[in-house]
Amino acid sequence: MAAAEGAGAVGRLAGTVHRLQGQLRRAQAEADGRALVDLASGILVERLRCSPVEAAAQLEGLAAQAGLSTLELAADLVNQATRDDIAGLARDFVAEAGQPARASVGLRLRSAEAGALSAGDAQSVAQSILQHALAPLGAVAVAIWAAHADQSLSLAGSAGFGDEEPARWRHVPPGVPTPARRALDNRATTSYDTLAGAALPSIGLRELSGGRVAVPAGAGGRIIGVLEICWAEPLPVRSQSVDRQLQVLAELCAIALESHPFSEQDPRSKQPDPRLTELLDLADGLNDPCLVLQPLLDTADTPADFLIRHVNTGFVDFAGRPRNMIAGALLLDAYPLVAEPGGLFDKVEHVLATGEPFRAERMRLAAVVDTVPLTTQAQVSISRQGAHVLVVLRLEDGTPKVASLLQHAQRLGRIGGFEENLITGDIAWNDTLFDLYGLPPTAEPIPLDQLAAHVHPDDAHSIGRFLRSLLHHHRPASTAFRLQRADSVARHIRVVAEPVLDENARVTSVRGAYQDVSAQHWTEVALAATRDQLAQSQQETAERNRLALRLQHAIMPPSHGTVDLHNLSVAVRYRPAEKDHLVGGDWYDAVALPSGQVLLCVGDVAGHGIEAATGMVALRNALRGLATTGAGPAQLLAWLNTVTHHLTDNVTATAVCGLYDPGSRQLRWARAGHLPPVLLRDGKAATLPKVGGILLGAVGQATYEEGHTQLEPGDTLLMYTDGLIERRDRSVQDSLESLLQVAGEPRQLGRGGQLEDQLDHLLRYTNADTDDDTCLIGVTVR
């Protein structure tokens, strides 16, 4: 018994864990989706100049019109706006497939990108790319490795492995031949049909011995990690498109490794030097950024370079790069411009040789990021600590943030920076500019004086004015042109540049930036076409509303004087909706029949616009014709229901139909889902007893109950539509009670007579708020 209870408790606990894991996965998926939708909404805010709320509503509306999910449309918008590798891959994939269903590759990769950019660490990035991008390819696990300068690897994030496996592979020492190590050595994607057949150790070997693919993850020409993907079965056949997807995912991993530096501390490493430990603790205790440098001596025991052994937790690279790109790198690799005469390298070398500390209140620091030089001023303090050198920097406020923003802005805005020395002919381009021109990074940059040969012939005069402003008038200039690349791809480009003058006011160089505005250009073209279509649609809609309003007023004028029908005085008030596009289907009729009776009716066709107005005309005329048969009100509504159901297009309506006999003053009436008439007698207002009846057009056949009311001289009968009383914040019954209270109030008579004053009073003091049509008939018995 106890064992059974224990098993039941374990089962319930396992069920709870499974449920919570599912909720966590759904929450992560929703968060990734929200990030993608927010990115697309931001694009619409910029393009349409609307608020974020309007952009979100526009995104949902466009998705519904296109028959796509909001996420699919968001991915398409981001693809159009960025024109990056993911966008190109999605377009090629769709073109190769020839069917819309394959377009989901763009959504999967965009969702993985959104998850990676919004993740808090590389572990979350691994989970996001496995869920969104790799699982649909059949992969079951993924590992993100961080590469270090000493040829070791660290597991930065993983997903799909057992709980104990990541701990076993937290650190891979140098020299261990793993798939990730082979990919780093080859600097290319490396694949194995089965891991067991490759006889290589790696994470998940005991559980997943199937196919493996290791893709180097690089940023700015420097490989900083590896994406390793695992299959449970032998490696499936991969197409070129799948290989491109894996390369895009590796780039996302590189961004993750840059944004979320991985700790290099290995708990299984040998006991460190106590003096070095004290120095690292000292560095981590400083608030200012600092580097611990280890000299690398040549054969003459002279420092050839310095290894950046450690950067403290407060370190911020003034060029905006993450800490893991600096820690473990060589000083001259990370900051090549420190080698200038009298620069930081000379000062560090002097401190190491003499032991004399160095301090400068302002020292120029320079770095090159994506071939663009960045400089700043810093307060520098250098001291020797045993065999190492400690460099403490106090940077100018905001410099690292500005540099980081510059890099991200260049990447997201597809901006390529350049600087051309007009004296030496040296030209510096960043990687983005080579990509804009469709050239490999090893190609020769194109000088400004040859720019006209690479643009559309119609834009050559614009390039001429641009160069004259720069080189002859010495003024900053900008222009837009169509770039014609060697691969026959045309891009819309905007270039901005400024001349650099020497002390003699001569132009020595030109620096500036190119930006790919193709997406913006085509979006503007599409928006212009959309605006034209929208204007035409608005004009057609306005014309339809005017036609509906004219039709409604022709049949039922808003008001007219009292009409005498036998011993009845009949007055009508019709109040149209305040907005023309809400023209509704309210209708009324009061007519003497050949039988001597008086037909009194009010109805309301569901909906607004021309359809409601034409439905109103059809039902009103049909009831007039049916009433000449001499049938009672219940039978008339039964016939009218058949007309509504079979002879109109999806029309439903409510109505009240009454037949009054002038000789006996008896009123017979029936209702079809409509509000009951109100009887005013001796200063008191009350509704007539309700009789049953379904609204018109809901079913093919319906029966209606009939009520009988004996009217007396002086009685007033009110028949109305729901626009008179309906409010959003209260029930219909409460609104009816309010109507009875207003109808029973004593009034001062005006010029229109008692009945008309009564109707005007009701229209004025009933507080409906739905902006719907209102139709009101008042009938007084003489």
Side-chain angles (χ1 to χ4, degrees):
M1 182 68 176
E5 292 178 354
V10 172
R12 289 192 297 273
L13 179 59
T16 301
V17 171
H18 180 73
R19 176 174 55 81
L20 292 176
Q21 289 175 338
Q23 292 176 352
L24 178 60
R25 287 192 296 270
R26 287 192 296 272
Q28 290 172 339
E30 291 174 359
D32 294 348
R34 282 195 300 271
L36 184 56
V37 170
D38 289 345
L39 188 58
S41 297
I43 293 172
L44 288 179
V45 168
E46 191 273 333
R47 297 279 171 81
L48 303 180
R49 300 294 190 270
C50 61
S51 69
V53 174
E54 292 171 335
Q58 183 79 352
L59 185 64
E60 293 181 1
L62 292 174
Q65 294 175 15
L68 301 173
S69 69
T70 305
L71 276 178
E72 288 173 326
L73 183 61
D76 289 344
L77 285 174
V78 175
N79 287 340
Q80 294 174 11
T82 58
R83 300 286 178 177
D84 57 6
D85 290 342
I86 295 180
L89 179 58
R91 290 194 302 272
D92 295 346
F93 209 79
V94 174
E96 293 172 5
Q99 50 184 339
R102 300 287 296 276
S104 61
V105 65
L107 172 60
R108 292 193 286 103
L109 294 179
R110 283 297 175 202
S111 298
E113 181 189 41
L117 295 178
S118 62
D121 52 26
Q123 178 67 25
S124 300
V125 173
Q127 294 170 349
S128 177
I129 64 174
L130 176 62
Q131 174 188 355
H132 294 294
L134 293 175
L137 300 179
V140 295
V142 62
I144 300 176
W145 301 97
H148 303 299
D150 61 355
Q151 304 299 307
S152 66
L153 295 172
S154 297
L155 184 64
S158 63
F161 300 103
D163 295 338
E164 298 180 356
E165 199 67 5
R168 295 192 185 103
W169 291 89
R170 186 179 185 278
H171 182 79
V172 180
V176 178
T178 65
R181 183 73 262 162
R182 294 283 175 84
L184 286 174
D185 293 341
N186 297 334
R187 300 183 68 84
T189 300
T190 306
S191 59
Y192 303 92
D193 289 336
T194 63
L195 186 63
L200 292 176
S202 189
I203 182 173
L205 176 61
R206 301 176 184 177
E207 308 165 346
L208 303 171
S209 59
R212 292 285 172 111
V213 173
V215 187
R222 179 170 178 254
I223 296 177
I224 60 176
V226 178
L227 170 65
E228 184 173 349
I229 308 162
C230 312
W231 279 262
E233 304 296 332
L235 190 66
V237 177
R238 305 193 317 277
S239 65
Q240 183 178 5
S241 177
V242 171
D243 285 339
R244 289 184 61 195
Q245 291 183 54
L246 301 185
Q247 293 170 2
V248 168
L249 294 175
E251 293 176 6
L252 293 180
C253 294
I255 295 174
L257 291 173
E258 286 183 342
S259 305
H260 314 297
F262 184 76
S263 173
E264 299 177 274
Q265 193 68 20
D266 182 5
R268 297 172 299 178
S269 61
K270 64 181 181 179
Q271 186 68 27
D273 183 354
R275 290 172 297 178
L276 177 59
T277 302
E278 292 177 1
L279 176 59
L280 299 183
D281 291 340
L282 171 64
D284 288 336
L286 298 176
N287 291 327
D288 291 324
C290 66
L291 305 91
V292 176
L293 304 180
Q294 176 182 334
L296 301 178
L297 305 178
D298 56 17
T299 55
D301 288 338
T302 302
D305 204 342
F306 290 87
L307 174 68
I308 303 178
R309 181 66 182 269
H310 180 74
V311 294
N312 68 342
T313 54
F315 177 81
V316 179
D317 176 49
F318 71 88
R321 294 167 294 186
R323 293 173 56 237
N324 68 311
M325 288 190 64
I326 306 302
L330 299 178
L331 181 61
L332 292 178
D333 286 345
Y335 302 102
L337 300 183
V338 301
E340 61 186 356
L344 183 65
F345 191 92
D346 284 352
K347 303 304 180 185
V348 171
E349 191 176 34
H350 180 78
V351 169
L352 177 67
T354 64
E356 300 175 358
F358 171 82
R359 182 179 178 85
E361 291 298 325
R362 288 181 62 83
M363 186 174 187
R364 178 178 176 270
L365 298 179
V368 177
V369 179
D370 287 340
T371 71
V372 177
L374 300 173
T375 62
T376 187
Q377 298 289 332
Q379 185 183 99
V380 179
S381 175
I382 307 174
S383 61
R384 188 177 70 185
Q385 304 290 334
H388 295 80
V389 176
L390 180 66
V391 180
V392 182
L393 308 171
R394 178 169 294 178
L395 303 172
E396 291 184 342
D397 293 340
T399 300
K401 179 179 290 188
V402 171
S404 178
L405 289 175
L406 173 62
Q407 292 185 70
H408 290 300
Q410 289 178 339
R411 178 176 60 86
L412 294 174
R414 295 181 60 78
I415 298 174
F418 73 92
E419 184 167 354
E420 180 174 343
N421 190 312
L422 301 180
I423 297 176
T424 64
D426 293 335
I427 304 174
W429 278 14
N430 69 355
D431 294 342
T432 304
L433 192 48
F434 283 100
D435 183 56
L436 290 182
Y437 270 84
L439 298 174
T442 56
E444 288 292 331
I446 297 173
L448 283 174
D449 58 6
Q450 298 179 19
L451 181 58
H454 297 269
V455 307
H456 191 280
D458 293 345
D459 297 334
H461 64 286
S462 298
I463 297 299
R465 288 198 304 267
F466 169 73
L467 294 177
R468 283 194 298 273
S469 296
L470 278 175
L471 305 178
H472 297 288
H473 301 298
H474 301 177
R475 291 197 302 261
S478 66
T479 190
F481 61 91
R482 285 161 289 180
L483 176 67
Q484 293 184 319
R485 306 192 325 185
D487 55 7
S488 300
V489 174
R491 310 298 295 173
H492 290 262
I493 303 294
R494 171 165 289 279
V495 59
V496 180
E498 65 177 2
V500 179
L501 308 179
D502 61 11
E503 62 276 4
N504 297 319
R506 293 179 302 178
V507 179
T508 59
S509 61
V510 175
R511 59 192 174 201
Y514 293 83
Q515 182 178 19
D516 186 350
V517 295
S518 302
Q520 178 182 348
H521 170 78
W522 292 116
T523 300
E524 290 174 352
V525 171
L527 284 176
T530 302
R531 291 190 191 100
D532 293 340
Q533 294 176 356
L534 180 60
Q536 182 178 358
S537 298
Q538 289 175 335
Q539 183 177 1
E540 292 175 354
T541 301
E543 186 60 34
R544 286 167 59 88
N545 290 335
R546 285 194 294 269
L547 176 60
L549 193 59
R550 287 197 297 268
L551 177 61
Q552 190 180 58
H553 286 178
I555 300 299
M556 296 176 303
S559 64
H560 53 69
T562 302
V563 176
D564 292 331
L565 296 173
H566 299 292
N567 58 356
L568 295 180
S569 295
V570 181
V572 176
R573 290 293 184 268
Y574 181 78
R575 180 175 62 194
E578 293 183 6
K579 298 178 181 178
D580 289 346
H581 70 273
L582 293 179
V583 173
D586 288 15
W587 54 278
Y588 63 88
D589 207 356
V591 62
L593 300 175
S595 63
Q597 300 183 90
V598 177
L599 173 67
L600 302 169
C601 56
V602 168
D604 186 2
V605 176
H608 298 89
I610 190 67
E611 291 82 6
T614 54
M616 169 268 293
V617 174
L619 295 187
R620 182 175 183 268
N621 292 340
L623 185 56
R624 270 199 177 188
L626 293 170
T628 60
T629 62
Q635 183 61 59
L636 291 177
L637 289 183
W639 288 338
L640 191 62
N641 173 73
T642 303
V643 172
T644 307
H645 184 76
H646 293 288
L647 301 183
T648 57
D649 185 16
N650 298 321
V651 170
T652 58
T654 64
V656 170
C657 177
L659 289 175
Y660 173 74
D661 182 8
S664 63
R665 293 193 175 91
Q666 187 180 58
L667 176 70
R668 291 186 298 156
W669 68 287
R671 56 186 288 268
H674 202 86
L675 296 169
V678 171
L679 179 62
L680 301 180
R681 177 178 291 172
D682 299 330
K684 296 181 180 179
T687 58
L688 295 185
K690 283 188 178 181
V691 292
I694 192 171
L695 79 165
L696 301 174
V699 295
Q701 299 292 331
T703 58
Y704 295 88
E705 297 179 2
E706 190 171 293
H708 299 263
T709 300
Q710 184 64 46
L711 299 180
E712 301 175 0
D715 287 349
T716 296
L717 185 71
L718 301 175
M719 303 170 70
Y720 51 93
T721 57
D722 56 6
L724 181 67
I725 65 169
E726 196 171 48
R727 287 189 62 85
R728 299 181 180 90
D729 59 352
R730 66 176 62 180
S731 66
V732 175
Q733 187 58 42
D734 291 340
S735 298
L736 269 175
E737 293 294 336
S738 177
L739 172 64
L740 296 178
Q741 181 180 355
V742 174
E745 293 174 350
R747 292 167 304 284
Q748 294 283 338
L749 294 182
R751 297 180 181 179
Q754 184 173 0
L755 181 57
E756 292 193 68
D757 286 340
Q758 206 161 31
L759 300 186
D760 291 336
H761 178 81
L762 287 173
L763 284 178
R764 186 178 302 114
Y765 291 102
T766 50
N767 53 353
D769 66 350
T770 57
D771 193 24
D772 200 359
D773 287 7
T774 299
C775 183
L776 174 62
I777 295 181
V779 180
T780 298
V781 182
R782 297 197 301 270

